[in-house]
Amino acid sequence: MDAGSTAPSSSSAASAAAAAAAAATATATTSMEDFQTPAAAISRWKFEVSRQYQHLLDKTTPHVLNRWLGTLAVAFVYALRVYLIQGFYVVSYGLGIHLLNLLIGFLSPQVDPEIQSLSEGPTLPTRSNDEFRPFVRRLPEFKFWYSITKAFCIAFVMTFFSAFDVPVFWPILLFYWVVLFTLTMRRQISHMIKYKYVPFTLGKQRYNGKRASAESASLSED
């Protein structure tokens, strides 16, 4: 009786193990099929392209002059195309408005001094003997360059589609843009004068060896 009962139980255990192995194999096969679906392949391809593109952008970060020379070349090509085809003035007007907004972000501090003055946090230095704090832009230089370059590229591609070539009297658009640029820059300059900051490295406080030694000598005399 014991041998007879042991044999069926052993065969049942073997059957259960075989069934579990078959289920695991089927699950692995299904997961591999899901991994090899077209959607997964496209997702992997997009990830690789995005990673390589970001790597190229990171390599161009220290080459400031070369980046801006390339942007000037792209802008020249766009201006030449618009001049030759004599059209797409609305696209150029929208591009000019976008560039103006980017310029304001580049010239503005990361935290508005008017809002910062309401709190008790540190403000921008207003006197020569104040503690030096570097100017932090709302739009960093690299993002400023990248946005400008991308805007010119998109506008250039749009010139190949006649749907964007809206007939308009371009001197009116140019006049509007000049007025908008003048008013915006006047407001920005007034803001800079009011809170006494300069969004450039020129004129910022620097220390050299002579000044440091003179200050240390004066302190020792006191």
Side-chain angles (χ1 to χ4, degrees):
M1 292 296 292
D2 295 338
S5 61
T6 303
S9 62
S10 299
S11 61
S12 300
S15 300
T25 304
T27 303
T29 304
T30 304
S31 62
M32 288 297 295
E33 289 178 355
D34 293 338
F35 184 73
Q36 295 176 354
T37 57
I42 293 175
S43 178
R44 293 197 308 273
W45 178 79
K46 289 173 61 177
F47 174 76
E48 289 296 329
V49 170
S50 176
R51 187 171 64 86
Q52 292 294 332
Y53 181 67
Q54 187 62 42
H55 177 67
L56 292 176
L57 286 180
D58 294 338
K59 291 177 64 176
T60 62
T61 302
H63 306 287
V64 179
L65 180 60
N66 295 331
R67 286 192 282 107
W68 283 104
L69 289 177
T71 302
L72 289 177
V74 173
F76 176 77
V77 171
Y78 172 78
L80 181 62
R81 174 165 175 78
V82 172
Y83 173 76
L84 293 177
I85 62 180
Q86 295 293 313
F88 296 95
Y89 300 119
V90 174
V91 175
S92 300
Y93 177 74
L95 176 63
I97 297 297
H98 181 64
L99 296 182
L100 181 59
N101 291 330
L102 293 176
L103 179 62
I104 295 302
F106 180 72
L107 297 177
S108 301
Q110 186 178 23
V111 180
D112 193 346
E114 185 175 1
I115 299 176
Q116 198 173 27
S117 62
L118 298 178
S119 62
E120 296 181 356
T123 58
L124 293 170
T126 57
R127 296 185 298 273
S128 60
N129 57 353
D130 283 347
E131 179 185 358
F132 173 71
R133 288 181 292 273
F135 182 82
V136 181
R137 304 180 187 279
R138 190 174 66 191
L139 183 65
E141 182 272 334
F142 184 81
K143 291 185 177 180
F144 180 57
W145 164 81
Y146 179 73
S147 300
I148 288 180
T149 307
K150 184 172 66 174
F152 271 109
C153 292
I154 293 175
F156 181 77
V157 172
M158 291 176 66
T159 58
F160 291 93
F161 298 92
S162 59
F164 299 106
D165 190 10
V166 180
V168 67
F169 187 57
W170 67 266
I172 296 180
L173 294 181
L174 179 61
F175 176 76
Y176 285 164
W177 187 86
V178 170
V179 171
L180 183 61
F181 176 82
T182 303
L183 295 177
T184 304
M185 291 307 298
R186 179 183 298 178
R187 183 177 57 186
Q188 183 67 26
I189 293 174
S190 300
H191 189 270
M192 293 165 56
I193 294 174
K194 179 179 179 180
Y195 294 100
K196 300 178 182 179
Y197 67 90
V198 179
F200 301 104
T201 56
L202 298 177
K204 290 190 180 297
Q205 190 172 1
R206 286 181 170 85
Y207 298 96
N208 51 31
K210 294 181 180 179
R211 181 172 180 178
S213 61
E215 289 181 353
S216 61
S218 63
L219 290 175
S220 63
E221 291 177 358
D222 295 338

